[in-house]
Amino acid sequence: MTGVQTCALPISLYAQALDLYNSNQFDKAAQKFEQVLTVQPRFKDASTRLIQSRNRSKQNRLNQEVKQLYRRGMAQFSARDLEAASKSFQTVILLNPNYKDVREKLDHVQQAIDESTVEESLARQYTAGITAMKAKDWTKALIAFDR
């Protein structure tokens, strides 16, 4: 390689890396910045741009994970899998406390869990009362229905 080619290579790679970075292709941009630094270790701000590319790439992956967890929580809530929906929304809050309306959704899930618990308790008491009535145990029936 001639001196001109050696000089042109990092400039070309750097330009490609910037184009990739500016089009939000952070993984590919990081690879190009690494190539620039391999050819010329102190080229412009390539090391800073490499770090920025890696950070943006990580942030994008985290955002995708949060988005998927939120969608999973919504699907679980729709399917009345309330405990799973609660866990999904809680994880979203841990990863991104300000994501959409996740706190409101978690409140809805918790309210549904509370209502479900009350309904289940009432159903158990009603069943106990009916069972006591069938056995003609009026005291137990009254206690069960009184709760």
Side-chain angles (χ1 to χ4, degrees):
M1 239 186 236
T2 66
V4 174
Q5 288 175 321
T6 305
C7 184
L9 183 61
I11 293 170
S12 173
L13 289 171
Y14 184 82
Q16 292 171 28
L18 283 179
D19 286 344
L20 290 166
Y21 184 89
N22 290 331
S23 61
N24 297 326
Q25 296 180 51
F26 301 113
D27 287 332
K28 291 179 181 179
Q31 291 172 352
K32 287 291 180 188
F33 284 122
E34 286 172 353
Q35 291 174 3
V36 170
L37 293 168
T38 299
V39 174
Q40 193 170 340
R42 289 190 166 86
F43 189 82
K44 292 186 180 186
D45 62 349
S47 60
T48 301
R49 296 283 189 160
L50 172 60
I51 292 167
Q52 290 172 339
S53 297
R54 287 177 177 163
N55 288 341
R56 294 287 300 270
S57 180
K58 286 179 190 175
Q59 187 61 48
N60 280 353
R61 283 192 294 277
L62 178 65
N63 290 343
Q64 282 302 110
E65 183 179 345
V66 167
K67 188 177 184 178
Q68 288 173 345
L69 278 167
Y70 180 84
R71 286 181 177 165
R72 183 181 309 144
M74 293 298 293
Q76 291 164 330
F77 182 67
S78 293
R80 302 298 291 170
D81 188 354
L82 301 176
E83 293 298 327
S86 177
K87 288 177 184 175
S88 292
F89 290 141
Q90 288 173 20
T91 304
V92 168
I93 290 171
L94 286 173
L95 296 174
N96 184 347
N98 299 316
Y99 190 77
K100 291 187 178 185
D101 57 353
V102 68
R103 291 180 188 279
E104 183 180 325
K105 297 297 183 192
L106 181 59
D107 288 343
H108 287 130
V109 169
Q110 190 56 53
Q111 186 177 19
I113 289 171
D114 293 345
E115 289 170 2
S116 168
T117 303
V118 168
E119 289 171 6
E120 289 170 5
S121 177
L122 288 173
R124 280 193 303 274
Q125 292 304 320
Y126 179 78
T127 300
I130 295 296
T131 302
M133 283 178 57
K134 287 180 180 176
K136 297 187 182 194
D137 188 340
W138 309 118
T139 305
K140 277 188 180 177
L142 282 172
I143 292 171
F145 288 129
D146 195 35
R147 291 184 185 165

